[in-house]
């Protein structure tokens, strides 16, 4: 389990973090934006998908401050993704659960501005307050009490896509944000490691807190694979090293050309797998955002998530949302208590197949 998914850390963050951050705010004087900005820090200590979204924000910062150095402070699980972002000068990996080590790393890089893109963890707000940055910006999120830590606090909304919230963090700097997430496939993966002919990528496994509630039933994945195999497409299954065993087991239950690539490739090579595909079908997770950012036709399956808050972005993207009442409720990613646990059952194979056919067909048409 990643640090952000730890129930213990979540409990400590809430019960100890709130009073500590509030006390920090009482003794800090709010400062104005520096007249000269030479080094900008971006703090995002978790979530591959959120880091992909920040590719757009980094581009906007580079356009507005072309002479400034961008230092990305990542966590342990998203450092490799941060290294993919065009415009980032340095990636510094910090452990979210060890605040004093994180604070030392932040202070060592002496940034003029530090932007905290975390929406709920108080520990990140505290680290930002102690970072030594000349100016700090972060979210005022309802019920999270983290805004005391910043020189400028921007409202975080549950009613817009997370990219829109990220764009709002640039407003105190006077930066107009308009870019969309974009990543470049490096073209390093040997062609013989992929199926001959056309293939579609399936990503079965979500990440994060209570990830099992964002999984689509395996029998429906199997039926979807059979339908696409019948139309001449092979299926490639992606996943991380921890997913390798269960992904291989699923592939063995399929009758047609279905192969597992889980755990076989680096994240750079995964970009090539996604970019060369005819389309990607994914639960709502980091790989979904990687696929959309690299320009692959992407179909997202949303149960407790909603496309409005967390959907893929780009021209060749589509979302299939649960048809069950009361779904699409996740805002910060942990609001499961008292909510439906069966939302993924409200996504039929027929609707996913229709969305996939539409995108794959559109991607095949000449421009």
């Amino acid at each position: 389990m990643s640090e952000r998914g730890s129930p213990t850390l979540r409990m400590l963050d809430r019960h100890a973090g709130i009073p500590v951050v509030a006390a920090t705010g009482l003794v800090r004087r709010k400062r104005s934006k520096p007249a000269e900005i030479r080094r900008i820090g971006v703090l995002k200590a978790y979530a591959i998908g959120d880091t992909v979204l920040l590719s757009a924000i980094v581009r906007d910062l580079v356009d507005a401050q072309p002479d400034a150095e961008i230092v990305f402070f990542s966590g342990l699980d998203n450092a490799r993704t941060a290294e993919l972002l065009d415009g980032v000068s340095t990636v510094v990996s910090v452990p979210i659960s060890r605040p004093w080590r994180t604070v030392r790393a932040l202070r060592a890089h002496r940034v003029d501005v530090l932007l905290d893109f975390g929406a709920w963890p108080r520990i990140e707000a505290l680290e930002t307050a102690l970072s030594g940055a000349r100016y700090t910006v972060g979210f005022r999120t309802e019920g999270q009490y983290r805004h005391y830590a910043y020189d400028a606090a921007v409202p975080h909304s549950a009613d817009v896509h997370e990219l829109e919230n990220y764009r709002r963090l640039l407003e105190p700097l006077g930066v107009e944000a308009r870019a969309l997430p974009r990543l470049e496939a490096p073209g390093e993966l040997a062609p013989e490691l992929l199926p001959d002919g056309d293939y579609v990528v399936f990503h079965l496994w979500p990440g994060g807190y209570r990830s099992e509630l964002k999984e689509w039933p395996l029998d429906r994945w199997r039926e979807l694979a059979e339908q696409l195999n019948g139309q001449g497409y092979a299926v490639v299954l992606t996943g991380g090293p921890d997913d390798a065993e269960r992904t291989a087991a699923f592939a063995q239950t399929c009758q047609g050309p279905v192969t597992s690539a889980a755990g076989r490739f680096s994240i750079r090579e995964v970009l090539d797998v996604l970019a060369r595909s005819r389309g990607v079908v994914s639960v709502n997770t980091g790989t979904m955002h990687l696929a959309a950012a690299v320009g692959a036709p992407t179909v997202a399956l949303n149960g407790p998530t909603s496309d409005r808050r967390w959907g893929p972005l780009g021209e060749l993207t589509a979302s299939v949302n649960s048809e069950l009442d009361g779904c699409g409720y996740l805002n910060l990613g942990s609001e499961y208590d008292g909510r439906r646990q069966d939302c993924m059952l409200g996504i039929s194979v027929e609707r996913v197949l229709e969305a996939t056919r539409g995108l794959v067909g559109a991607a095949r048409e000449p421009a």
Side-chain angles (χ1 to χ4, degrees):
M1 177 183 294
S2 67
E3 290 181 306
R4 71 182 177 118
S6 168
T8 301
L9 285 177
R10 285 176 173 269
M11 181 184 67
L12 288 173
D13 186 81
R14 169 165 288 277
H15 294 291
I18 291 175
V20 171
V21 170
T24 301
L26 290 175
V27 300
R28 291 184 71 256
R29 178 176 57 87
K30 303 295 183 183
R31 301 162 298 180
S32 300
K33 181 184 72 172
E36 184 178 19
I37 299 175
R38 296 182 177 179
R39 184 173 294 172
I40 301 172
V42 172
L43 175 61
K44 186 60 181 176
Y46 54 88
I48 289 174
D50 294 1
T51 305
V52 173
L53 295 180
L54 287 175
S55 65
I57 299 303
V58 171
R59 287 172 56 202
D60 288 323
L61 285 171
V62 170
D63 288 345
Q65 298 280 347
D67 297 325
E69 177 184 357
I70 309 295
V71 181
F72 196 112
F73 297 96
S74 74
L76 302 179
D77 68 341
N78 65 324
R80 296 302 182 196
T81 309
E83 292 171 355
L84 300 173
L85 307 191
D86 187 32
V88 171
S89 304
T90 307
V91 175
V92 181
S93 181
V94 294
I96 187 174
S97 60
R98 293 179 172 84
W100 295 118
R101 285 180 56 185
T102 299
V103 168
R104 285 199 297 269
L106 291 169
R107 297 182 73 88
H109 285 80
R110 303 178 62 86
V111 298
D112 297 302
V113 174
L114 182 59
L115 303 169
D116 177 8
F117 286 89
W120 63 266
R122 268 69 54 168
I123 191 171
E124 291 177 31
L126 176 62
E127 291 163 351
T128 299
L130 300 176
S131 67
R134 297 167 60 199
Y135 187 67
T136 60
V137 184
F139 285 122
R140 180 187 292 110
T141 309
E142 184 177 357
Q144 303 305 309
Y145 305 98
R146 60 198 314 279
H147 55 280
Y148 300 105
Y150 308 115
D151 295 307
V154 177
H156 182 278
S157 174
D159 298 323
V160 300
H161 197 281
E162 194 68 348
L163 179 59
E164 292 301 323
N165 283 315
Y166 289 169
R167 287 170 169 171
R168 292 174 180 178
L169 278 191
L170 301 189
E171 292 177 0
L173 301 183
V175 174
E176 183 179 0
R178 62 180 68 182
L180 287 173
R182 188 179 68 196
L183 298 174
E184 296 294 332
E188 298 171 354
L189 187 64
E192 59 267 22
L193 296 177
L194 294 171
D196 293 331
D198 294 340
Y199 66 90
V200 174
V201 172
F202 288 1
H203 190 83
L204 285 62
W205 315 115
Y209 181 65
R210 300 296 305 274
S211 60
E212 73 279 3
L213 299 181
K214 295 186 284 184
E215 292 179 12
W216 200 38
L218 292 181
D219 61 331
R220 300 189 187 186
W221 281 114
R222 193 175 297 110
E223 183 179 347
L224 182 65
E226 182 179 345
Q227 293 281 348
L228 291 172
N229 288 160
Q231 296 173 26
Y233 296 102
V235 172
V236 174
L237 308 173
T238 53
D242 293 341
D243 304 320
E245 184 175 347
R246 58 179 175 170
T247 306
F250 171 76
Q252 291 175 359
T253 69
C254 298
Q255 300 301 314
V258 177
T259 59
S260 174
R264 291 174 52 196
F265 300 130
S266 69
I267 192 168
R268 290 174 59 84
E269 292 170 328
V270 168
L271 287 183
D272 285 337
V273 174
L274 300 172
R276 295 176 191 175
S277 73
R278 285 297 183 181
V280 178
V281 184
S282 175
V283 292
N284 196 303
T285 195
T287 297
M288 175 202 74
H289 289 294
L290 286 171
V294 83
T298 303
V299 176
L301 310 185
N302 295 294
T305 56
S306 73
D307 58 338
R308 175 179 55 84
R309 280 286 288 126
W310 298 106
L313 299 172
E315 292 183 5
L316 294 176
T317 61
S319 289
V320 182
N321 298 320
S322 178
E323 292 184 315
L324 298 179
D325 292 337
C327 293
Y329 51 78
L330 285 181
N331 173 30
L332 302 179
S334 61
E335 301 89 351
Y336 291 103
D337 290 346
R339 305 292 190 117
R340 294 194 74 136
Q341 312 286 287
D342 62 347
C343 288
M344 296 301 286
L345 297 179
I347 301 173
S348 68
V349 174
E350 291 75 19
R351 293 173 61 218
V352 177
L353 184 61
E354 180 181 2
T356 304
R357 284 172 174 164
L359 280 183
V360 169
R364 277 181 154 181
E365 293 176 0

